[in-house]
Amino acid sequence: MEPTEGQDKRDCWAVTFGHAYNPHDRCICAGYDNGDVKLFDLRNMSLRWETNIKNGVCGLEFDRKDIKMNKLVATTLESKFHVFDMQTQHPESGFSSLSEKAHKSTVWAVKHLPQNRDVFMTCGGSGTLNLWKYTYPSKRVEKDGKGQEKGVMGTVSLLQNAVLSTQPISGFDWSPDKMGLCVCTSFDQTLRVIIVTKLNLV
Protein backbone atom coordinates (compact mmCIF):
# COMPACT_ATOMS: atom_id res chain seq x y z
CA MET A 1 0.00 0.00 0.00
CA GLU A 2 1.31 3.42 -0.90
CA PRO A 3 -0.05 6.94 -1.57
CA THR A 4 -1.66 7.55 -4.93
CA GLU A 5 0.01 9.79 -7.47
CA GLY A 6 0.00 13.41 -6.32
CA GLN A 7 -0.31 12.62 -2.61
CA ASP A 8 2.49 13.40 -0.15
CA LYS A 9 4.69 10.41 0.71
CA ARG A 10 5.53 10.48 4.42
CA ASP A 11 8.03 8.30 6.29
CA CYS A 12 6.39 5.38 8.10
CA TRP A 13 8.02 5.00 11.52
CA ALA A 14 5.86 2.33 13.19
CA VAL A 15 3.50 -0.49 12.24
CA THR A 16 1.48 -3.17 14.04
CA PHE A 17 -0.92 -6.02 13.26
CA GLY A 18 -4.32 -6.46 14.89
CA HIS A 19 -7.97 -7.53 14.57
CA ALA A 20 -6.91 -11.10 13.67
CA TYR A 21 -9.79 -12.77 15.48
CA ASN A 22 -10.73 -15.16 12.65
CA PRO A 23 -9.01 -16.60 9.54
CA HIS A 24 -10.20 -13.74 7.32
CA ASP A 25 -9.99 -10.39 9.13
CA ARG A 26 -6.70 -8.54 9.53
CA CYS A 27 -5.79 -4.90 10.13
CA ILE A 28 -2.51 -3.04 9.98
CA CYS A 29 -2.04 0.26 11.79
CA ALA A 30 0.79 2.52 10.64
CA GLY A 31 2.27 5.64 12.23
CA TYR A 32 4.08 8.36 10.31
CA ASP A 33 6.65 11.09 10.89
CA ASN A 34 4.02 13.86 10.62
CA GLY A 35 1.75 12.36 13.31
CA ASP A 36 -0.62 10.52 10.97
CA VAL A 37 -2.07 7.24 12.27
CA LYS A 38 -3.73 5.13 9.56
CA LEU A 39 -5.72 1.92 9.99
CA PHE A 40 -5.75 -0.36 6.94
CA ASP A 41 -8.27 -3.19 6.46
CA LEU A 42 -6.32 -5.99 4.76
CA ARG A 43 -9.44 -8.00 3.97
CA ASN A 44 -10.83 -5.17 1.81
CA MET A 45 -7.42 -3.60 1.02
CA SER A 46 -8.75 -0.20 2.05
CA LEU A 47 -8.10 2.64 4.48
CA ARG A 48 -10.57 2.20 7.33
CA TRP A 49 -9.68 5.20 9.52
CA GLU A 50 -7.05 7.89 9.97
CA THR A 51 -6.22 10.66 12.39
CA ASN A 52 -3.33 12.97 13.24
CA ILE A 53 -1.78 13.21 16.73
CA LYS A 54 0.54 16.15 15.88
CA ASN A 55 3.88 14.47 16.64
CA GLY A 56 5.89 11.77 14.88
CA VAL A 57 4.66 8.29 15.82
CA CYS A 58 7.51 6.17 17.24
CA GLY A 59 5.58 3.12 18.45
CA LEU A 60 2.20 1.41 17.99
CA GLU A 61 0.62 -1.65 19.52
CA PHE A 62 -2.83 -3.21 19.92
CA ASP A 63 -3.42 -4.66 23.37
CA ARG A 64 -3.97 -8.02 21.64
CA LYS A 65 -3.39 -9.03 18.01
CA ASP A 66 -5.69 -12.06 17.94
CA ILE A 67 -8.98 -10.53 19.15
CA LYS A 68 -11.39 -7.96 17.77
CA MET A 69 -9.82 -4.54 18.07
CA ASN A 70 -10.06 -3.33 21.67
CA LYS A 71 -7.37 -0.74 22.46
CA LEU A 72 -4.46 0.80 20.56
CA VAL A 73 -1.54 2.72 22.09
CA ALA A 74 0.55 5.14 20.00
CA THR A 75 3.76 6.69 21.35
CA THR A 76 5.23 9.88 19.96
CA LEU A 77 7.93 12.50 20.05
CA GLU A 78 7.70 15.23 22.71
CA SER A 79 6.79 13.06 25.72
CA LYS A 80 3.32 11.82 24.83
CA PHE A 81 1.40 8.64 24.22
CA HIS A 82 -2.20 8.18 23.09
CA VAL A 83 -4.68 5.42 23.95
CA PHE A 84 -7.51 4.75 21.50
CA ASP A 85 -10.67 2.76 22.28
CA MET A 86 -10.97 0.70 19.09
CA GLN A 87 -14.21 -1.05 20.04
CA THR A 88 -16.58 1.67 18.77
CA GLN A 89 -15.98 3.77 15.64
CA HIS A 90 -18.08 6.93 15.37
CA PRO A 91 -18.95 7.78 11.72
CA GLU A 92 -17.64 11.35 12.08
CA SER A 93 -15.17 11.56 14.99
CA GLY A 94 -13.75 8.06 14.62
CA PHE A 95 -12.31 6.33 17.69
CA SER A 96 -12.27 7.99 21.11
CA SER A 97 -8.85 8.61 22.65
CA LEU A 98 -6.90 10.11 25.52
CA SER A 99 -3.33 11.41 25.70
CA GLU A 100 -0.83 11.34 28.54
CA LYS A 101 2.53 13.03 29.15
CA ALA A 102 5.37 10.65 30.01
CA HIS A 103 9.15 10.38 30.35
CA LYS A 104 9.88 14.10 29.64
CA SER A 105 11.37 12.89 26.35
CA THR A 106 10.48 10.91 23.24
CA VAL A 107 8.40 7.81 24.02
CA TRP A 108 10.11 5.24 21.84
CA ALA A 109 7.98 2.13 22.27
CA VAL A 110 5.04 0.46 24.01
CA LYS A 111 4.45 -3.18 24.96
CA HIS A 112 1.36 -4.69 26.59
CA LEU A 113 1.72 -7.36 29.24
CA PRO A 114 0.71 -10.71 27.62
CA GLN A 115 -1.00 -11.91 30.80
CA ASN A 116 -3.01 -8.68 31.31
CA ARG A 117 -3.84 -6.55 28.30
CA ASP A 118 -4.70 -3.50 30.44
CA VAL A 119 -1.11 -3.18 31.71
CA PHE A 120 1.59 -1.81 29.42
CA MET A 121 5.16 -0.49 29.51
CA THR A 122 6.43 2.62 27.72
CA CYS A 123 10.09 3.28 26.93
CA GLY A 124 11.57 6.75 27.22
CA GLY A 125 14.32 8.67 25.49
CA SER A 126 15.65 9.58 28.93
CA GLY A 127 16.49 5.94 29.71
CA THR A 128 13.33 5.32 31.73
CA LEU A 129 10.62 2.66 31.78
CA ASN A 130 7.08 3.52 32.87
CA LEU A 131 4.50 0.89 33.81
CA TRP A 132 0.86 1.91 33.24
CA LYS A 133 -2.59 0.49 33.83
CA TYR A 134 -5.70 1.36 31.82
CA THR A 135 -8.98 1.36 33.75
CA TYR A 136 -12.23 1.06 31.81
CA PRO A 137 -15.15 3.45 32.42
CA SER A 138 -18.44 2.22 33.88
CA LYS A 139 -19.84 2.11 30.34
CA ARG A 140 -17.74 2.03 27.17
CA VAL A 141 -20.37 3.30 24.70
CA GLU A 142 -22.73 6.26 24.72
CA LYS A 143 -24.90 7.96 22.11
CA ASP A 144 -24.31 11.49 20.85
CA GLY A 145 -26.97 14.08 20.04
CA LYS A 146 -27.67 12.39 16.70
CA GLY A 147 -28.13 8.95 18.24
CA GLN A 148 -24.79 7.67 16.93
CA GLU A 149 -22.73 5.44 19.21
CA LYS A 150 -19.29 6.64 20.28
CA GLY A 151 -16.67 5.26 22.62
CA VAL A 152 -16.14 6.46 26.18
CA MET A 153 -12.55 6.60 27.43
CA GLY A 154 -11.33 5.34 30.76
CA THR A 155 -8.19 6.49 32.56
CA VAL A 156 -4.51 5.56 32.71
CA SER A 157 -2.51 5.49 35.92
CA LEU A 158 1.24 5.20 36.45
CA LEU A 159 2.04 2.08 38.48
CA GLN A 160 5.83 2.30 38.55
CA ASN A 161 8.79 3.98 36.89
CA ALA A 162 12.50 3.21 36.79
CA VAL A 163 15.65 4.84 35.42
CA LEU A 164 17.83 2.23 33.72
CA SER A 165 20.18 4.27 31.55
CA THR A 166 21.27 7.74 30.49
CA GLN A 167 20.46 6.75 26.89
CA PRO A 168 17.10 6.06 25.19
CA ILE A 169 15.41 2.67 25.73
CA SER A 170 14.87 1.65 22.12
CA GLY A 171 13.44 -1.86 22.41
CA PHE A 172 11.38 -3.83 24.92
CA ASP A 173 9.53 -7.15 25.13
CA TRP A 174 7.68 -9.22 27.74
CA SER A 175 8.05 -12.96 28.24
CA PRO A 176 4.86 -14.78 27.12
CA ASP A 177 5.51 -17.53 29.69
CA LYS A 178 6.81 -15.89 32.87
CA MET A 179 4.72 -12.94 34.08
CA GLY A 180 6.92 -9.93 34.76
CA LEU A 181 10.03 -11.21 32.98
CA CYS A 182 11.12 -8.76 30.30
CA VAL A 183 14.09 -7.59 28.27
CA CYS A 184 15.09 -4.17 26.94
CA THR A 185 17.81 -2.62 24.81
CA SER A 186 19.18 0.90 24.89
CA PHE A 187 21.55 3.19 23.02
CA ASP A 188 24.30 2.51 25.57
CA GLN A 189 24.82 -0.85 23.80
CA THR A 190 23.42 -2.79 26.75
CA LEU A 191 20.78 -5.52 26.85
CA ARG A 192 19.04 -5.78 30.22
CA VAL A 193 16.90 -8.63 31.60
CA ILE A 194 14.37 -7.33 34.13
CA ILE A 195 11.78 -8.80 36.48
CA VAL A 196 8.69 -6.75 37.37
CA THR A 197 7.06 -8.11 40.54
CA LYS A 198 3.52 -8.08 41.97
CA LEU A 199 1.84 -7.82 38.54
CA ASN A 200 -0.67 -10.43 39.73
CA LEU A 201 -1.95 -7.86 42.23
CA VAL A 202 -2.62 -5.12 39.66
Side-chain angles (χ1 to χ4, degrees):
M1 291 182 177
E2 61 181 1
T4 58
E5 188 174 340
Q7 287 185 318
D8 288 339
K9 292 187 177 182
R10 308 298 309 200
D11 290 338
C12 183
W13 284 2
V15 67
T16 188
F17 269 110
H19 202 53
Y21 66 96
N22 63 33
H24 312 292
D25 289 279
R26 297 287 187 278
C27 281
I28 284 180
C29 193
Y32 297 82
D33 63 331
N34 65 340
D36 282 347
V37 177
K38 297 177 185 283
L39 183 68
F40 299 98
D41 186 332
L42 294 186
R43 185 175 188 177
N44 299 317
M45 292 301 288
S46 62
L47 177 66
R48 176 170 170 176
W49 165 78
E50 63 180 328
T51 190
N52 186 281
I53 52 178
K54 299 181 181 178
N55 281 302
V57 181
C58 303
L60 284 169
E61 192 180 55
F62 289 100
D63 57 356
R64 286 286 185 276
K65 293 181 173 67
D66 56 355
I67 62 171
K68 286 187 177 182
M69 289 188 298
N70 185 52
K71 297 192 304 296
L72 172 75
V73 177
T75 66
T76 70
L77 304 175
E78 301 200 12
S79 314
K80 273 192 176 183
F81 68 86
H82 301 254
V83 182
F84 295 88
D85 186 329
M86 306 298 287
Q87 193 178 71
T88 306
Q89 184 175 4
H90 189 273
E92 295 174 3
S93 58
F95 297 104
S96 298
S97 68
L98 63 83
S99 64
E100 186 77 22
K101 296 279 281 184
H103 297 284
K104 298 181 180 178
S105 62
T106 295
V107 187
W108 280 85
V110 58
K111 281 290 179 180
H112 290 83
L113 182 67
Q115 295 83 5
N116 184 348
R117 68 186 184 188
D118 300 325
V119 175
F120 58 93
M121 189 79 80
T122 55
C123 308
S126 54
T128 54
L129 291 176
N130 283 4
L131 184 69
W132 303 87
K133 182 180 181 182
Y134 181 83
T135 303
Y136 293 100
S138 57
K139 61 176 184 176
R140 294 187 64 180
V141 180
E142 65 181 11
K143 292 189 176 181
D144 63 11
K146 299 179 181 177
Q148 300 278 5
E149 288 189 341
K150 65 176 183 178
V152 179
M153 291 307 299
T155 58
V156 290
S157 54
L158 181 64
L159 299 178
Q160 189 56 271
N161 67 296
V163 180
L164 299 183
S165 174
T166 58
Q167 300 295 316
I169 306 294
S170 54
F172 182 93
D173 204 7
W174 294 102
S175 167
D177 304 311
K178 177 72 173 176
M179 180 185 282
L181 182 64
C182 51
V183 63
C184 71
T185 58
S186 62
F187 284 9
D188 61 5
Q189 302 179 357
T190 303
L191 183 147
R192 293 173 172 86
V193 178
I194 305 161
I195 294 180
V196 182
T197 59
K198 298 184 180 179
L199 288 172
N200 60 315
L201 304 177
V202 172

